[in-house]
Amino acid sequence: MQKFFSNRKLVIVIILLIISFGLMSVSVAVRNKKSTPPLIQQFGNDVAGAVDRVIAWPVNGLQSASNSVSDLLNTYQENQKLKKQVDQLAQAKVNAQTTAAENKQLRKELKLNSSLSSYTTVSASVIARTPSSWMNQLVISKGATSGIKKNMSVMSETGLIGRVVEVNQTNSKVELISSTSSNADKFAIQITNSSGKTVNGIVSGYDKSTGYLEMGSVTSSVKIKKGDKVVTSGLGGVTPKGLYIGTVASVKQDDYGLASEVEIKPAADLSDLTVVTVAEK
Amino acid sequence: MKSRLCYIFPIGLFIALFLDGSLSNVFAGNLFKYPYSSVLHLDLLWIVFAVFLDDDDALPVGIWAAFVGLVYDWYFTGIFGVYLIALPLVVYLSRLMKPWLDLNFLTLLMVYIIDITITEAFAYVWYVIGKVVTNNLADFAVYTLGPTIAVNLAIFVILYYPVRQLYLRVN
């Protein structure tokens, strides 16, 4: 044991630690500032992503196989329930189509080509999740070549799940709204109550114990009830308007009694993601 | 003498690394269930087996470990220099322990626990210094390290005999 901390080894250890620390600081700084990582980093990510795809393919196949077995088990009950919904949906769909057509026409008359709510989507599959307890990140299978840019919003089939934080050529990283480590979850949102009035705000945090999003410092006098719908408001640039986030779970006073805090139940299940949609404004 | 292990070890190491990622996504509901979060470490398992079952220390495990650590930082987290140093450190410490240990199931299990603890603690300390995470130490020990060790021990127990057989056959 005497030799363990001999001079030479101590020097090597210290140099290694300094190198490691330097690399970390630089990469954290680059991650926060630049819109895309340096070319060499993109290249490495693309190579790793290509290999990962080969390995993730059978794993995802197994997952979808087991999913279909469990789906099969409760098919009957689901079918009964869905049949009822389909009738109502047909009506709603026709209604939405006419409204969309009318909307398009009115926009043309107003010469309003792009509004806050118009966006295009790119679908991508999830290759991997960062195996770390500190970063709630996904790697998805589309990158800059498919038109993905940093800070775009990412949705699952049911609702908003996060934001693109790093873009490579053929894959990109998505930070989930459940991560508290950075400002990835600061979405501008809008709550509409049953009488059609809206409250604007920003997602201020994520409560890990309940899985709810929080919207703090709400001073508006508009009454918000449990079950009111929450969508993105489109303010602030990159996020389009009208992406569904979830419903209001509860409204309570904040610690000082001056403003209220709204808890939002996200519609998306953050632990079961295989296909995601990136919304491009 | 060059054995087939020279090729099988790095290939297996990268398969283990990427399996960590895709299995973490598939089982996200179980692995990252509040308040616990457990981290899969199949790559570390593979490294521990390589260090202890390669009798004449002929494999360049340390260099491969550094490389796979680099890929981990590069591809999964985007923050360099953490696993790049942590994984070779684990290899170095395991090699220090090796001469004192009788190789069997329990000792290998013990070494694996120590290695997981070192890797996770190293990553935690580094991320705290870099302000990537803001958890306190007690949370880390109870909600991350504990479940991580539990999950990985279960995987270790299942994979011990198959992986050992594989190593003994190709060596």
Side-chain angles (χ1 to χ4, degrees):
Chain A
M1 269 309 176
Q2 263 181 340
K3 276 195 171 171
F4 182 73
F5 276 126
S6 67
N7 259 343
R8 206 173 115 250
K9 270 186 184 150
L10 194 65
V11 170
I12 291 176
V13 165
I14 289 175
I15 289 176
L16 278 179
L17 289 183
I18 291 173
I19 290 175
S20 155
F21 190 72
L23 278 172
M24 184 179 69
S25 323
V26 169
S27 48
V28 169
V30 165
R31 191 172 86 128
N32 291 343
K33 279 183 195 136
K34 289 210 176 161
S35 60
T36 50
L39 214 59
I40 174 82
Q41 195 177 340
Q42 281 186 35
F43 176 72
N45 274 323
D46 290 331
V47 172
V51 179
D52 196 1
R53 238 165 264 212
V54 177
I55 290 163
W57 185 73
V59 177
N60 289 343
L62 274 180
Q63 188 195 14
S64 62
S66 70
N67 275 353
S68 24
V69 169
S70 69
D71 281 351
L72 199 64
L73 291 177
N74 47 31
T75 307
Y76 181 73
Q77 286 170 344
E78 220 169 46
N79 193 14
Q80 299 280 320
K81 212 168 68 185
L82 291 177
K83 264 183 189 161
K84 278 181 202 154
Q85 284 184 12
V86 165
D87 296 339
Q88 299 165 2
L89 271 182
Q91 222 171 22
K93 197 179 165 190
V94 173
N95 208 337
Q97 269 170 356
T98 31
T99 325
E102 196 184 46
N103 191 338
K104 207 173 167 187
Q105 220 168 24
L106 291 174
R107 260 191 211 168
K108 214 188 251 172
E109 279 176 30
L110 283 172
K111 298 198 172 64
L112 196 70
N113 290 326
S114 63
S115 73
L116 287 175
S117 58
S118 58
Y119 61 91
T120 54
T121 57
V122 180
S123 301
S125 60
V126 179
I127 312 178
R129 186 186 169 116
T130 300
S132 160
S133 47
W134 314 122
M135 266 156 271
N136 292 306
Q137 274 184 350
L138 301 174
V139 181
I140 61 172
S141 65
K142 293 276 171 68
T145 45
S146 313
I148 289 176
K149 295 194 189 75
K150 194 175 171 170
N151 283 333
M152 279 181 174
S153 329
V154 183
M155 333 242 300
S156 72
E157 295 104 330
T158 43
L160 190 80
I161 58 160
R163 181 170 276 178
V164 175
V165 286
E166 189 184 306
V167 185
N168 306 302
Q169 291 305 313
T170 57
N171 57 45
S172 35
K173 291 189 185 111
V174 175
E175 198 156 46
L176 299 178
I177 42 176
S178 59
S179 57
T180 47
S181 59
S182 72
N183 54 2
D185 53 358
K186 301 288 177 287
F187 283 96
I189 56 173
Q190 194 171 54
I191 304 175
T192 311
N193 71 1
S194 48
S195 58
K197 292 208 169 113
T198 56
V199 180
N200 280 297
I202 289 178
V203 175
S204 59
Y206 179 79
D207 188 350
K208 272 189 167 178
S209 57
T210 53
Y212 290 164
L213 292 168
E214 287 159 353
M215 172 174 145
S217 315
V218 181
T219 51
S220 165
S221 59
V222 175
K223 287 266 178 296
I224 303 168
K225 280 206 312 285
K226 188 181 170 184
D228 286 346
K229 299 251 185 309
V230 184
V231 295
T232 54
S233 69
L235 301 175
V238 276
T239 316
K241 184 180 181 175
L243 302 181
Y244 185 48
I245 293 179
T247 52
V248 172
S250 71
V251 186
K252 60 186 185 201
Q253 293 283 307
D254 72 358
D255 295 342
Y256 306 102
L258 293 172
S260 49
E261 194 179 84
V262 183
E263 285 198 320
I264 300 155
K265 186 177 184 225
D269 180 5
L270 295 177
S271 59
D272 184 21
L273 301 166
T274 46
V275 178
V276 295
T277 313
V278 184
E280 188 180 345
K281 199 170 168 184
Chain B
M1 192 186 83
K2 273 203 167 185
S3 65
R4 278 183 294 167
L5 209 54
C6 291
Y7 309 105
I8 289 179
F9 170 69
I11 294 171
L13 189 60
F14 278 95
I15 290 178
L17 177 79
F18 290 122
L19 273 183
D20 280 344
S22 54
L23 289 179
S24 289
N25 185 44
V26 170
F27 296 107
N30 305 317
L31 291 173
F32 300 101
K33 192 173 198 167
Y34 183 82
Y36 305 106
S37 57
S38 17
V39 185
L40 290 178
H41 269 308
L42 292 174
D43 49 349
L44 206 56
L45 179 82
W46 194 256
I47 287 173
V48 171
F49 273 105
V51 170
F52 281 86
L53 295 177
D54 175 33
D55 291 328
D56 42 359
D57 285 347
L59 273 178
V61 180
I63 293 166
W64 279 114
F67 188 52
V68 92
L70 177 69
V71 173
Y72 186 106
D73 286 342
W74 200 319
Y75 182 58
F76 284 137
T77 65
I79 296 169
F80 289 87
V82 180
Y83 284 87
L84 172 68
I85 302 292
L87 293 182
L89 180 76
V90 159
V91 173
Y92 177 68
L93 293 177
S94 304
R95 285 233 163 108
L96 279 185
M97 285 184 259
K98 191 179 170 184
W100 276 281
L101 293 177
D102 228 13
L103 181 64
N104 63 37
F105 178 75
L106 280 179
T107 51
L108 209 55
L109 193 78
M110 194 194 71
V111 173
Y112 189 45
I113 294 177
I114 296 172
D115 286 351
I116 290 174
T117 312
I118 293 170
T119 317
E120 282 298 304
F122 188 89
Y124 171 71
V125 170
W126 239 216
Y127 287 151
V128 164
I129 297 175
K131 293 201 174 64
V132 179
V133 292
T134 47
N135 276 25
N136 63 36
L137 190 63
D139 279 355
F140 162 71
V142 177
Y143 297 127
T144 297
L145 191 58
T148 299
I149 289 177
V151 167
N152 284 292
L153 281 196
I155 296 172
F156 180 89
V157 171
I158 295 166
L159 289 183
Y160 177 74
Y161 285 102
V163 178
R164 206 182 88 133
Q165 284 304 319
L166 179 76
Y167 265 95
L168 293 181
R169 192 170 313 155
V170 293
N171 204 351

